[in-house]
Amino acid sequence: MVDESAPEDAALDAAERWLDWIDHGEAGDSYRAAAAIFRAALTPERWEEALRAARQPLGWVVARTLRSRKYATELPGAPDGEYVVLEYDTEFERKKHGVETVVLVREDDGAWRVSGYWIR
């Protein structure tokens, strides 16, 4: 029997490390650890600007709770592959009810890396 939660668990571990970098303003580290598709879409400078624009007005993360996780092999606007979509209920200093979405892709080396990140 195959453990179907294994990909989600591995992706969750990778997402938690990545979120820790962005929580501490380490845009460079988060960029270098992101998926190739993420790095192809943004320069390091553009990512730093986008991250600062998205996170600075909200302030520090006060609390983050995993809301949902879903394994998928197809996502809109992305090539077929292995993905895990994570949603977090996140409380920021200046935004009590935020939702962070982190999308991870399993790359050719087998590692899960962040390919998308949004806050709403």
Side-chain angles (χ1 to χ4, degrees), residues 12-80:
L12 182 61
D13 288 345
E16 300 282 330
R17 286 191 303 276
W18 193 83
L19 287 168
D20 190 54
W21 282 320
I22 67 169
D23 288 347
H24 291 93
E26 297 171 14
D29 288 336
S30 67
Y31 183 84
R32 285 185 291 279
I37 195 169
F38 182 100
R39 294 188 322 268
L42 291 166
T43 65
E45 297 78 17
R46 182 65 188 113
W47 167 239
E48 188 171 347
E49 291 168 13
L51 183 58
R52 187 175 32 254
R55 294 287 298 265
Q56 198 169 33
L58 306 177
W60 294 104
V61 171
V62 175
R64 176 183 286 128
T65 305
L66 183 64
R67 171 196 275 197
S68 67
R69 60 191 208 168
K70 180 184 175 200
Y71 176 84
T73 56
E74 296 179 11
L75 290 177
D80 290 351

Side-chain angles (χ1 to χ4, degrees), residues 76-87:
D80 290 351
E82 289 186 84
Y83 296 91
V84 173
V85 180
L86 304 170
E87 281 193 336

